[in-house]
C-alpha cells in the first residue's frame, strides 16, 4: 500500500479518540491533512469541538471545513492533539518540523493532555537522524548560529523558499542540521542547542508523545507509551 494510503489509515484510527465537547490540537503536514479532513466530516455530521491550529495552513483548512478554530489562549488546555512526524523511534522520540511548524507544534503539544502522532510506516525508524533536524532561529542571529553549528560538526543548511530565505509563521528562519553521526544523547543535544542565543526551538520532540499510530499496509498499528 502507498504511503498516502497508510497516512489515511493512521489518521482515521486517530480521530476515534476525538469526542464531542473536546478541545483538539490540529497538527500540520501531509498526514495531518487527512486527520483534519476526517474531523471536518465528523463536525459536519454533528460533532461539536473546538480546535487550535498549529499553523496558518492548518487554520485555513480547518476553517474551510467548518471546524471552530480558537486561539490557544482561549483554549487554555487541550484534551488531545493529533499531529504527524518526520521520524519516530521506538522510544516515542520524534523529529518534526519538515513543514516548518515545529515551534507552534511543540507549544500545542506541551499544552495537551493526550498527544497522538500519526505516520506512515516509512517514518518509523530505529534511530533518529536520517531526516535532517530543523532548528527555528531568530533572523537577527541566524548567520552566527550557523557558524556555531558548523563548529559543532552539525553541517547546518539554511532552508530556502526559492531564492528567498524560508520563513515560518512566526517570521523566523529554519536551519536544518545533520545529527546522524553525533555522539551525544538526544537529550544532551537538545539542551546544548537551546543554550545558543537566537535558537527559538528545535524539532526534537523527546517527551511529549503518548500514543503513536502507524499506518502499515491496511492496518493501523497503535503503540502506547
Amino acid at each position: 500500500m502507498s504511503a498516502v494510503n497508510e497516512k489515511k489509515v493512521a489518521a482515521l484510527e486517530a480521530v476515534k479518540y476525538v469526542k464531542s465537547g473536546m478541545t483538539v490540537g490540529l497538527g500540520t503536514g501531509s498526514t495531518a491533512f487527512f486527520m483534519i479532513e476526517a474531523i471536518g466530516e465528523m463536525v459536519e455530521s454533528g460533532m461539536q469541538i473546538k480546535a487550535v491550529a498549529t499553523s496558518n495552513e492548518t487554520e485555513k483548512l480547518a476553517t474551510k471545513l467548518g471546524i471552530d478554530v480558537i486561539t490557544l489562549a482561549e483554549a487554555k488546555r487541550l484534551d488531545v492533539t493529533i499531529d504527524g512526524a518526520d521520524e519516530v523511534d521506538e522510544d516515542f522520540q520524534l523529529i518534526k518540523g519538515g513543514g516548518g511548524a515545529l515551534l507552534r507544534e511543540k507549544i500545542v503539544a506541551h499544552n495537551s493532555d493526550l498527544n497522538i502522532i500519526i505516520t506512515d510506516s516509512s517514518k518509523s525508524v530505529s534511530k533518529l537522524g536520517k531526516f535532517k533536524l530543523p532548528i527555528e532561529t531568530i533572523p537577527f542571529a541566524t548567520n552566527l548560529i550557523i557558524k556555531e553549528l558548523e563548529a559543532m560538526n552539525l553541517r547546518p543548511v539554511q532552508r530556502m523558499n526559492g531564492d528567498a530565505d524560508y520563513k515560518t509563521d512566526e517570521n523566523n528562519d529554519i536551519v536544518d542540521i545533520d545529527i546522524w553521526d553525533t555522539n551525544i544523547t538526544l537529550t544532551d543535544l537538545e539542551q546544548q542547542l537551546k543554550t545558543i542565543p537566537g535558537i527559538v526551538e528545535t524539532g526534537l520532540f523527546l517527551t511529549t508523545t503518548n500514543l503513536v499510530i502507524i499506518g502499515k499496509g491496511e492496518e493501523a498499528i497503535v503503540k502506547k507509551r
Side-chain angles (χ1 to χ4, degrees):
M1 181 175 279
S2 71
V4 171
N5 286 328
E6 288 186 346
K7 291 174 183 181
K8 289 181 180 179
V9 167
L12 292 176
E13 181 66 25
V15 299
K16 294 177 182 178
Y17 292 83
V18 178
K19 308 299 180 185
S20 195
M22 282 186 168
T23 304
V24 183
L26 303 178
T28 296
S30 58
T31 311
F33 170 84
F34 295 113
M35 172 270 298
I36 298 165
E37 277 200 328
I39 290 178
E41 292 175 1
M42 294 160 71
V43 168
E44 188 175 6
S45 297
M47 186 179 71
Q48 295 185 346
I49 67 162
K50 294 186 182 298
V52 173
T54 56
S55 67
N56 294 340
E57 178 185 6
T58 290
E59 182 174 356
K60 289 177 184 176
L61 174 60
T63 301
K64 179 181 177 181
L65 294 174
I67 300 170
D68 184 8
V69 178
I70 61 174
T71 67
L72 183 58
E74 291 171 322
K76 296 184 177 65
R77 189 74 188 168
L78 305 175
D79 295 295
V80 58
T81 289
I82 305 174
D83 203 352
D86 298 299
E87 286 185 342
V88 53
D89 70 12
E90 292 299 322
D91 295 319
F92 289 66
Q93 300 178 128
L94 319 171
I95 286 180
K96 290 174 54 57
L102 60 103
L103 177 57
R104 292 190 188 180
E105 287 173 338
K106 192 171 281 191
I107 292 169
V108 168
H110 178 74
N111 289 282
S112 299
D113 292 334
L114 176 66
N115 281 294
I116 301 174
I117 292 298
I118 53 176
T119 72
D120 63 84
S121 59
S122 71
K123 306 297 176 56
S124 179
V125 299
S126 58
K127 176 187 174 183
L128 297 182
K130 286 188 176 179
F131 191 93
K132 299 299 185 289
L133 175 66
I135 307 293
E136 185 158 346
T137 65
I138 297 291
F140 177 75
T142 297
N143 288 340
L144 293 177
I145 290 170
I146 287 174
K147 291 180 180 179
E148 197 160 346
L149 295 172
E150 286 173 343
M152 296 166 64
N153 296 316
L154 294 173
R155 295 177 283 280
V157 176
Q158 184 168 355
R159 190 178 297 184
M160 304 297 291
N161 183 12
D163 294 329
D165 297 342
Y166 177 93
K167 294 297 180 184
T168 70
D169 287 345
E170 308 301 325
N171 205 36
N172 291 323
D173 296 330
I174 294 283
V175 177
D176 295 301
I177 63 173
D178 185 352
I179 67 168
W180 182 254
D181 294 323
T182 185
N183 292 321
I184 64 176
T185 68
L186 294 176
T187 300
D188 288 343
L189 176 62
E190 170 83 344
Q191 292 175 347
Q192 192 172 345
L193 291 170
K194 289 289 193 69
T195 65
I196 300 174
I199 290 183
V200 181
E201 193 50 85
T202 83
L204 286 173
F205 286 59
L206 303 180
T207 61
T208 54
T209 304
N210 306 108
L211 198 69
V212 175
I213 301 176
I214 301 170
K216 189 171 184 179
E218 297 183 359
E219 181 183 4
I221 300 172
V222 180
K223 299 181 179 183
K224 298 181 180 180
R225 182 182 287 276

